[in-house]
Amino acid sequence: MSSQAAGNQTSFLGATDDYYNMCHPWLCQPSESGILVLLLLAVLVRRHCLWPGCGHGRPRLPSPVDFLAGDRPQTVPAAVFMVLFSSLCLLLSDEDPLPFLTLASLPNSESWKILALLYYPVLYYPLAACAVAGPRVAYLLGSVLSWAHFSIQVWQRAECPQTPKIYKYYSLLASLPLLLGLGFLSLWYPVQLVRSFTHRTGAGSKLGTRGRSWPGLGGPGSCELRPFSWAPWEGWEQLVVLFTIPLFLDSAGFRLPLKLVISATLTGTAIYQVALLLLVSVVPTMQKVRAGITTDVSYLLAGFGIVLSEDRQEVVELVKHHLWALEACYISALVLSCTLTLLLLIRSLTTHRANLQALHRGAALDLGPPLQSTRPSRKAIFCWMSFSAYHTAFTCFGLLVQQIIFFLGTTVLAFLVFVPVLHGRNLFFLRSLGSSWPFWLTLILAVTLQNIAAHWVFLKTHHGYPELTNRRALYAATFLLFPINMLMGGVVATWRMSLSALYNTIHLICRWPLLPSTAIPLPTPGYCTYRNFLKLEASQSHPAVTAFCTLLLAAPSPRLQAPVDPKGNLRTGEEEEGLQLLQTKDPMAKERGPRASRNRARWGLAYTLLNNPALQAFRKTALSGAQANGAQA
Amino acid sequence: MSSQAAGNQTSFLGATDDYYNMCHPWLCQPSESGILVLLLLAVLVRRHCLWPGCGHGRPRLPSPVDFLAGDRPQTVPAAVFMVLFSSLCLLLSDEDPLPFLTLASLPNSESWKILALLYYPVLYYPLAACAVAGPRVAYLLGSVLSWAHFSIQVWQRAECPQTPKIYKYYSLLASLPLLLGLGFLSLWYPVQLVRSFTHRTGAGSKLGTRGRSWPGLGGPGSCELRPFSWAPWEGWEQLVVLFTIPLFLDSAGFRLPLKLVISATLTGTAIYQVALLLLVSVVPTMQKVRAGITTDVSYLLAGFGIVLSEDRQEVVELVKHHLWALEACYISALVLSCTLTLLLLIRSLTTHRANLQALHRGAALDLGPPLQSTRPSRKAIFCWMSFSAYHTAFTCFGLLVQQIIFFLGTTVLAFLVFVPVLHGRNLFFLRSLGSSWPFWLTLILAVTLQNIAAHWVFLKTHHGYPELTNRRALYAATFLLFPINMLMGGVVATWRMSLSALYNTIHLICRWPLLPSTAIPLPTPGYCTYRNFLKLEASQSHPAVTAFCTLLLAAPSPRLQAPVDPKGNLRTGEEEEGLQLLQTKDPMAKERGPRASRNRARWGLAYTLLNNPALQAFRKTALSGAQANGAQA
């Protein structure tokens, strides 16, 4: 099998490569025993995670990530998704997509790679679920699991840092985000475990338990709606979010939905992975080619009729210099596209925030046709499910296209302008530009003259109102300057197309949130996904609803039997936040005296009615009776 | 010089061409005598055309085209512009841009070509001005001039149908619109001349005279505002417009501005000229190459390592077949792009009409930020002047880009799908598509399953309202299907980019009127030009203003001394039209009894005040006095 892998490598690179210091392939894969340990742990975690859910009578699989809960730490899901995405990227250079099978001898490795796409989420499912499950044992299992994953990955990279495919260190470099994510998790779980021992009602477990025991507004069946909590900002892990997204500091009281945080993290990881792939798949090869150029190249060029110089050594220097220029163009295009993508990611995050806040306020979005209903629908759920994945795929695709276009652009610019100027030859482009001065002069003169004439000759102000005058001269000038204006139109059209191409290239990635749908009159699945995602987020995690739930929780009503939070001041903070997000201008909202208790009682009534629909039949009579009483009083 | 021209031709085509039956270059140019006759005629026409304007005291050059007058026949300016544009297109294949100079020996022919851009409008200026000037002598001179132009062109093409550059019959084919335009003019002028003899107050001259003698609203200086006339529909020349733009029949009472008619004519001519250029510059060469293929081609291909077949004759057949496929792709791409451009031209004309009608009604346009003022400004005048030229240049440029993109598309499609299927070999693309069925099956299954789950599992209707349910399963599915959704995102991104590229290609030409400016957040000169053009057209030829002028003309007031039209019923029609265009819902507008005469008197007062600003100081007192009288009565 080793020889076969080497053969594959040879055919891939097109030439034998003596740089590789290959280790045996079996060393490069996590052994079956490691996988078995992982699976066993996963099963254990699963069995354990079922336990807290048993309170409701039937065992349920814990969810890996609570996407719609606003009160959870967002770093753990982001780290898990980063690990998952990096594992998928490593599939590119892997001979054997599934670690427990050596498939190099199997016929249809394409299908096995697709199977691997299902295998990796299952592999990291328990790692994510341990954070959601909550109790101490889950943290313990999470710690063990993350340490196992992390040590296997570190051991694997240390044992075999080089890979046969793409570039010898590609696998090592591509696994850096993976190691970073696993390293973070293997620190986070022990910290949570220790914390749960030091103060017995740890924030995470408490919220988790309350979240599950608290029925939401949707009826008795859907019991996942959780109160919004401001507390996690005290956790050290939030500092990471605080550090990475500093632009969100200006909007106090707003927290990005978890899905958007995951998407942003994935975009960052995707930028790294795609840039790495683009860099290592081209630059080392170009450097090798450059190093391998000898005086034979002059014969090769002469075969194509190109004679750069009589001196062969000079030809070698020239070719090397041109190749170096090409390499510089490639790297600068890569830097440019990565920077632009990053900047647009930040800009799109602010747009996301603005859009979500507008939706929370019930405002119409600048996102095409208004949403018919904020209620969830089949399409909205489907779009919400696939949003992060689409976002990541669009980033990868856009970065690839940007790289191609920017590389072409910089190469044309370098070889038409910079290199000729530097070498002092092949100046034909600059010379033709220089010899076309009558053309440019004519255009500039025509535009200037027309503007001057439009201002001083054809326009006349009568009693403060500008009016058209000298119409004959205007018509004559229009007729006579028609051919030159046509040339000007050609220049404008070229300029417009270049600008439009550049604009489309830059905005390819973050196009959905930045442009209104009128820009794209055709059905665009990506844009549609974004709109429906926003709709579902706004309908399912509206801060007003979460604030209301908090109010109910904090209410001293014995009928509701809600667990009363010991930190009453935090709850008040949440109410404030909910009201602030809605930008209620009502000054009454801040006066909470007997009116607040009455409101609370009314919310309680509404809640009771929602949970007991049978009572609704009696409600109108009751209400009219109450109103009649109010009128009598 | 002949040998030099032949040398140029050889270097241009890259090979000697024995198909040409070249005539001597001096035969192909209009002789200096012809040019002198033309200039003399032009001077005569100019001198004559000054005459009618002398009524106001100072001689003025007649305008070539009355762009803003709504009552003129629109076919003559359209024909003149078609002739002018075709002459400019013929410059491409001309060795000597200026007919009276043989410049092949002059050093800087680039500058002379720019000079030719000024020469041709001057050449056709008198031809256009004769139609505007109006009186019988102008028609006579116009007839002579158009016949001279037409006969010179016909003689030139008949003497020397073949040209050395581009393609032997290019010059002949490219001059067809020129001959068509000149032929039309050489018929139109005699007809008008005869008509002016048969009924002495011909429509054209009458309107022209009245137009000049009628002062507009802008003050005594600007005397070009003319009443709107419905009469020209009776003219046979309007049948041409009626025939070419049938879509305007449904909106009775609306007439496209002359500039738009000219732009549409020019777009049609540009489609013909660009398509002709694209066709004759490529297809004959390809046919020659195809005809010249011998068995030597197999050696040539073997030199590049390509062995199509062992049998040399089969190789020749294969190469010929491939070249034929390439030619078919090129022609079908050309047909496709021309058809699309034509269809989009028609669509853009309806958009122009809708936009103009909206502006006339004072409605806000869907054209980006609302226009600050409908008054003319420097920018509006400049944009209005260059509108038709820009429109034509955009059409030419867009057609070129469309041809390139469609040719690439059809070639890729043909050589990846059709040719392999036809020949039964090189099926690698179809095979790889076939072997990727697990990938596509996975995607389809994932999308279907997610949609089914979203509808049946995750959505639950409570009391008529859909609600999210089974959140744990939803989160788990979202997590597990993330990698497959990412693949789906990649497919969607590819699809979106292809669609977007196609859309942008198709709409490149007619982009300004079809898309709102939000689609193009960057400053786009073309779009800006269109908006300002519309603004100036709406402000200068508003149908309500023209209807008002007609009312004034028809008023039996002796003070105004306006020439009373004998056909009173036509005037009423115009009033109706003006009101209809404004879509006044007021039923009072249709009751014209004593109220109508009072209104007429008020318009007369307004007109008097406009022409005598000194009276405005007394107006308020007069009005308040009148109001006081009204109150007493």
Side-chain angles (χ1 to χ4, degrees):
Chain A
M1 210 200 79
S2 160
S3 68
Q4 193 185 355
N8 279 350
Q9 166 214 345
T10 310
S11 67
F12 182 79
L13 285 174
T16 52
D17 198 353
D18 50 353
Y19 284 90
Y20 286 129
N21 177 22
M22 268 187 69
C23 38
H24 288 285
W26 60 268
L27 271 180
C28 297
Q29 289 146 13
S31 63
E32 277 86 351
S33 61
I35 286 295
L36 279 176
V37 167
L38 290 183
L39 285 175
L40 188 71
L41 277 170
V43 169
L44 274 173
V45 169
R46 276 189 203 171
R47 286 182 65 84
H48 190 87
C49 286
L50 294 176
W51 179 72
C54 291
H56 284 288
R58 53 189 176 113
R60 275 192 281 183
L61 206 68
S63 65
V65 183
D66 260 2
F67 287 108
L68 287 172
D71 59 341
R72 296 304 177 106
Q74 300 184 326
T75 39
V76 175
V80 170
F81 267 94
M82 193 164 82
V83 166
L84 179 60
F85 179 70
S86 298
S87 305
L88 296 174
C89 286
L90 281 169
L91 274 181
L92 284 173
S93 68
D94 256 354
E95 289 289 310
D96 306 316
L98 294 172
F100 50 87
L101 283 171
T102 49
L103 296 166
S105 52
L106 286 176
N108 202 346
S109 77
E110 188 78 17
S111 314
W112 289 108
K113 279 210 174 175
I114 288 172
L115 209 65
L117 294 182
L118 287 171
Y119 163 75
Y120 280 105
V122 173
L123 183 68
Y124 294 117
Y125 192 105
L127 196 63
C130 283
V132 179
R136 208 173 292 153
V137 190
Y139 287 138
L140 181 67
L141 279 167
S143 307
V144 174
L145 208 55
S146 57
W147 275 103
H149 272 293
F150 185 62
S151 48
I152 286 175
Q153 286 293 337
V154 167
W155 167 70
Q156 203 175 335
R157 301 302 150 205
E159 274 286 306
C160 180
Q162 303 193 0
T163 38
K165 259 189 170 178
I166 301 172
Y167 174 63
K168 51 182 177 176
Y169 293 120
Y170 170 67
S171 182
L172 186 67
L173 291 168
S175 61
L176 281 185
L178 181 83
L179 294 176
L180 192 73
L182 286 176
F184 169 75
L185 288 177
S186 55
L187 282 177
W188 190 85
Y189 276 115
V191 165
Q192 293 299 315
L193 189 67
V194 168
R195 193 184 268 184
S196 73
F197 277 109
T198 47
H199 34 94
R200 290 185 63 87
T201 51
S205 76
K206 181 195 71 199
L207 283 169
T209 319
R210 197 186 59 215
R212 254 188 305 283
S213 67
W214 178 246
L217 285 180
S222 62
C223 17
E224 279 100 356
L225 194 78
R226 290 193 185 76
F228 197 96
S229 161
W230 202 229
W233 283 104
E234 64 186 20
W236 62 272
E237 67 267 21
Q238 292 300 326
L239 280 174
V240 181
V241 179
L242 209 71
F243 183 74
T244 48
I245 315 171
L247 68 159
F248 284 90
L249 278 176
D250 66 331
S251 168
F254 183 79
R255 206 181 180 205
L256 270 187
L258 179 57
K259 270 236 154 189
L260 279 179
V261 173
I262 290 172
S263 300
T265 314
L266 282 174
T267 303
T269 318
I271 292 172
Y272 174 78
Q273 295 282 5
V274 174
L276 179 72
L277 189 67
L278 285 170
L279 199 73
V280 302
S281 60
V282 170
V283 173
T285 317
M286 280 173 87
Q287 281 178 340
K288 256 181 272 171
V289 168
R290 193 148 58 90
I293 281 177
T294 59
T295 47
D296 297 344
V297 78
S298 61
Y299 298 115
L300 190 75
L301 286 175
F304 287 101
I306 304 165
V307 179
L308 288 175
S309 170
E310 293 301 315
D311 182 13
R312 275 186 214 160
Q313 201 52 45
E314 203 189 328
V315 169
V316 169
E317 286 305 312
L318 273 175
V319 169
K320 275 191 180 177
H321 193 261
H322 280 100
L323 280 178
W324 175 85
L326 208 67
E327 207 180 306
C329 286
Y330 189 83
I331 292 172
S332 55
L334 195 59
V335 169
L336 187 65
S337 41
C338 286
T339 316
L340 272 175
T341 308
L342 214 60
L343 287 176
L344 282 173
L345 169 70
I346 292 172
R347 199 184 145 198
S348 77
L349 281 179
T350 52
T351 321
H352 292 317
R353 186 185 56 192
N355 283 340
L356 262 178
Q357 282 181 329
L359 270 182
H360 285 161
R361 280 198 300 273
L365 278 189
D366 191 20
L367 290 166
L371 298 163
Q372 280 84 28
S373 146
T374 51
R375 290 267 159 188
S377 63
R378 178 190 60 72
K379 198 172 180 189
I381 293 173
F382 173 68
C383 291
W384 181 86
M385 283 173 84
S386 47
F387 174 73
S388 288
Y390 277 27
H391 199 285
T392 316
F394 269 58
T395 306
C396 295
F397 182 80
L399 205 56
L400 279 173
V401 175
Q402 272 191 4
Q403 169 63 12
I404 292 169
I405 293 174
F406 286 150
F407 177 52
L408 287 177
T410 48
T411 308
V412 166
L413 199 70
F415 283 87
L416 279 184
V417 180
F418 293 125
V419 173
V421 166
L422 222 69
H423 282 272
R425 54 173 145 185
N426 298 325
L427 287 162
F428 55 91
F429 175 72
L430 293 173
R431 277 206 197 102
S432 68
L433 210 69
S435 69
S436 67
W437 66 264
F439 173 77
W440 297 107
L441 185 70
T442 312
L443 287 192
I444 291 166
L445 271 181
V447 171
T448 316
L449 278 177
Q450 279 182 86
N451 270 301
I452 288 172
H455 193 246
W456 298 106
V457 183
F458 305 139
L459 209 60
K460 195 176 176 180
T461 304
H462 261 282
H463 315 302
Y465 292 109
E467 261 303 329
L468 214 61
T469 184
N470 286 323
R471 292 193 181 211
R472 274 159 222 269
L474 172 65
Y475 298 158
T478 305
F479 185 81
L480 292 174
L481 289 173
F482 168 76
I484 290 172
N485 276 334
M486 223 171 65
L487 282 192
M488 190 66 212
V491 172
V492 162
T494 318
W495 167 247
R496 162 133 178 31
M497 211 194 64
S498 319
L499 208 69
S500 172
L502 194 71
Y503 182 85
N504 281 319
T505 310
I506 293 172
H507 286 81
L508 189 70
I509 298 166
C510 302
R511 186 144 186 161
W512 345 332
L514 292 183
L515 283 186
S517 75
T518 42
I520 319 140
L522 294 165
T524 44
Y527 196 76
C528 197
T529 304
Y530 176 66
R531 285 185 68 216
N532 280 300
F533 161 75
L534 278 189
K535 177 178 154 183
L536 201 83
E537 280 288 343
S539 78
Q540 295 301 315
S541 56
H542 197 289
V545 177
T546 50
F548 163 55
C549 291
T550 317
L551 261 175
L552 278 182
L553 279 172
S557 158
R559 276 180 302 157
L560 291 173
Q561 292 174 340
V564 181
D565 197 295
K567 295 176 189 170
N569 52 341
L570 266 178
R571 297 281 151 257
T572 322
E574 280 160 29
E575 286 169 39
E576 293 273 13
E577 185 200 51
L579 293 167
Q580 182 197 343
L581 276 169
L582 286 168
Q583 290 196 343
T584 309
K585 294 268 159 57
D586 188 12
M588 303 298 278
K590 284 169 186 167
E591 298 170 13
R592 269 185 227 92
R595 190 183 288 272
S597 66
R598 213 171 72 193
N599 283 339
R600 213 167 268 167
R602 278 188 183 164
W603 280 120
L605 171 71
Y607 172 72
T608 313
L609 287 170
L610 269 167
N611 275 318
N612 300 283
L615 290 177
Q616 276 187 325
F618 304 97
R619 205 188 158 241
K620 220 165 207 171
T621 354
L623 257 185
S624 60
Q627 275 170 357
N629 286 343
Q632 279 172 2
Chain B
M1 206 200 83
S2 160
S3 68
Q4 193 186 353
N8 280 349
Q9 166 215 345
T10 309
S11 66
F12 182 80
L13 284 174
T16 53
D17 197 353
D18 51 352
Y19 285 90
Y20 285 129
N21 177 20
M22 269 189 65
C23 39
H24 288 284
W26 61 266
L27 272 180
C28 298
Q29 288 145 14
S31 63
E32 277 84 350
S33 61
I35 286 295
L36 280 177
V37 167
L38 289 184
L39 286 174
L40 187 70
L41 275 170
V43 169
L44 274 173
V45 169
R46 277 191 202 170
R47 287 184 64 86
H48 188 87
C49 285
L50 292 176
W51 178 72
C54 291
H56 285 286
R58 56 191 171 111
R60 274 189 283 182
L61 205 70
S63 65
V65 182
D66 259 3
F67 287 108
L68 287 171
D71 59 340
R72 296 303 178 106
Q74 299 184 326
T75 41
V76 175
V80 171
F81 268 94
M82 193 163 81
V83 167
L84 178 61
F85 179 70
S86 298
S87 305
L88 296 174
C89 287
L90 282 169
L91 273 181
L92 282 174
S93 69
D94 256 354
E95 289 290 309
D96 307 316
L98 293 172
F100 49 87
L101 283 172
T102 47
L103 296 167
S105 52
L106 285 177
N108 203 346
S109 77
E110 188 77 17
S111 314
W112 290 106
K113 280 210 175 176
I114 288 172
L115 208 65
L117 294 182
L118 287 171
Y119 163 76
Y120 281 105
V122 172
L123 183 68
Y124 295 117
Y125 192 106
L127 196 64
C130 284
V132 179
R136 209 171 293 155
V137 191
Y139 287 137
L140 181 67
L141 279 168
S143 308
V144 175
L145 208 54
S146 57
W147 275 103
H149 273 292
F150 185 63
S151 49
I152 285 176
Q153 286 294 336
V154 167
W155 166 71
Q156 202 175 334
R157 300 304 149 202
E159 275 287 306
C160 179
Q162 302 194 0
T163 37
K165 259 191 172 178
I166 302 174
Y167 174 64
K168 52 181 178 177
Y169 294 118
Y170 171 68
S171 181
L172 186 68
L173 290 168
S175 61
L176 283 184
L178 181 83
L179 295 175
L180 192 74
L182 286 176
F184 169 77
L185 288 176
S186 57
L187 282 177
W188 189 86
Y189 275 116
V191 166
Q192 293 299 317
L193 189 65
V194 169
R195 193 184 268 183
S196 71
F197 277 109
T198 48
H199 33 96
R200 289 186 64 88
T201 52
S205 76
K206 181 196 71 198
L207 283 169
T209 319
R210 198 187 57 213
R212 256 189 306 282
S213 67
W214 179 247
L217 285 180
S222 62
C223 17
E224 279 98 356
L225 195 78
R226 286 192 189 80
F228 198 97
S229 161
W230 201 228
W233 284 103
E234 66 186 19
W236 62 271
E237 68 267 19
Q238 292 301 325
L239 279 174
V240 181
V241 178
L242 210 69
F243 183 75
T244 49
I245 316 171
L247 67 158
F248 285 91
L249 277 175
D250 65 331
S251 169
F254 183 79
R255 206 182 180 203
L256 268 187
L258 180 57
K259 269 239 153 185
L260 279 179
V261 173
I262 289 173
S263 299
T265 315
L266 282 174
T267 303
T269 319
I271 292 172
Y272 174 79
Q273 296 282 5
V274 174
L276 179 72
L277 190 67
L278 284 171
L279 200 72
V280 301
S281 59
V282 170
V283 173
T285 317
M286 278 172 89
Q287 281 177 340
K288 255 180 273 170
V289 168
R290 193 147 59 89
I293 280 178
T294 58
T295 46
D296 296 343
V297 78
S298 62
Y299 298 115
L300 190 74
L301 287 175
F304 287 102
I306 303 165
V307 179
L308 287 175
S309 169
E310 292 302 314
D311 183 13
R312 276 186 212 160
Q313 200 53 46
E314 203 188 329
V315 170
V316 169
E317 286 305 312
L318 273 175
V319 169
K320 275 192 179 177
H321 193 261
H322 280 100
L323 280 177
W324 175 85
L326 208 65
E327 206 180 306
C329 285
Y330 189 83
I331 292 171
S332 54
L334 195 58
V335 170
L336 188 65
S337 41
C338 286
T339 316
L340 271 175
T341 309
L342 213 61
L343 287 177
L344 282 173
L345 168 70
I346 292 171
R347 199 185 146 197
S348 77
L349 281 178
T350 51
T351 321
H352 292 316
R353 186 185 57 192
N355 283 340
L356 263 178
Q357 282 181 329
L359 271 181
H360 285 161
R361 278 198 301 273
L365 278 188
D366 191 20
L367 290 167
L371 298 164
Q372 280 83 28
S373 147
T374 52
R375 290 266 159 190
S377 63
R378 178 191 59 73
K379 198 171 180 188
I381 293 173
F382 172 69
C383 291
W384 181 87
M385 284 172 83
S386 46
F387 175 73
S388 289
Y390 277 26
H391 200 284
T392 316
F394 270 58
T395 306
C396 296
F397 183 80
L399 206 56
L400 279 174
V401 174
Q402 272 191 5
Q403 170 64 12
I404 292 168
I405 293 175
F406 287 151
F407 177 53
L408 286 178
T410 48
T411 309
V412 166
L413 200 70
F415 282 88
L416 279 184
V417 180
F418 293 125
V419 172
V421 166
L422 224 68
H423 282 272
R425 53 174 145 186
N426 297 325
L427 286 162
F428 54 91
F429 174 73
L430 293 174
R431 278 208 197 102
S432 68
L433 210 67
S435 69
S436 69
W437 65 265
F439 172 76
W440 298 105
L441 186 71
T442 311
L443 287 192
I444 291 166
L445 270 181
V447 170
T448 316
L449 278 177
Q450 279 182 86
N451 270 300
I452 289 173
H455 193 246
W456 297 106
V457 183
F458 305 139
L459 208 61
K460 194 176 176 181
T461 305
H462 261 281
H463 316 301
Y465 291 109
E467 261 305 327
L468 214 61
T469 183
N470 286 323
R471 293 192 181 210
R472 273 159 222 268
L474 172 67
Y475 297 158
T478 305
F479 185 80
L480 292 174
L481 291 173
F482 168 76
I484 291 172
N485 276 334
M486 223 170 65
L487 281 192
M488 190 65 213
V491 172
V492 162
T494 318
W495 168 247
R496 160 123 179 41
M497 211 193 65
S498 320
L499 209 69
S500 172
L502 193 72
Y503 181 85
N504 282 318
T505 311
I506 293 173
H507 286 81
L508 189 68
I509 299 165
C510 303
R511 186 144 186 161
W512 346 332
L514 291 184
L515 284 186
S517 74
T518 42
I520 319 140
L522 294 165
T524 45
Y527 197 77
C528 196
T529 304
Y530 176 66
R531 285 186 69 214
N532 280 299
F533 162 76
L534 278 189
K535 177 179 154 182
L536 202 85
E537 281 288 341
S539 79
Q540 296 302 311
S541 56
H542 197 287
V545 176
T546 50
F548 163 57
C549 292
T550 319
L551 262 174
L552 279 181
L553 279 170
S557 157
R559 275 181 303 159
L560 291 172
Q561 292 175 339
V564 181
D565 197 293
K567 295 176 191 171
N569 51 342
L570 263 179
R571 296 279 153 261
T572 322
E574 279 160 32
E575 286 169 37
E576 292 275 11
E577 184 201 53
L579 293 166
Q580 183 198 340
L581 276 169
L582 286 169
Q583 290 197 340
T584 309
K585 293 267 160 56
D586 189 13
M588 304 297 278
K590 284 168 188 168
E591 297 169 13
R592 268 186 226 91
R595 189 183 289 270
S597 66
R598 214 172 70 192
N599 283 338
R600 213 167 268 168
R602 279 189 181 162
W603 281 120
L605 171 72
Y607 173 73
T608 314
L609 286 171
L610 268 167
N611 275 319
N612 301 282
L615 289 177
Q616 276 187 324
F618 304 96
R619 210 191 154 238
K620 219 164 210 170
T621 352
L623 258 184
S624 61
Q627 276 171 357
N629 287 341
Q632 279 171 4

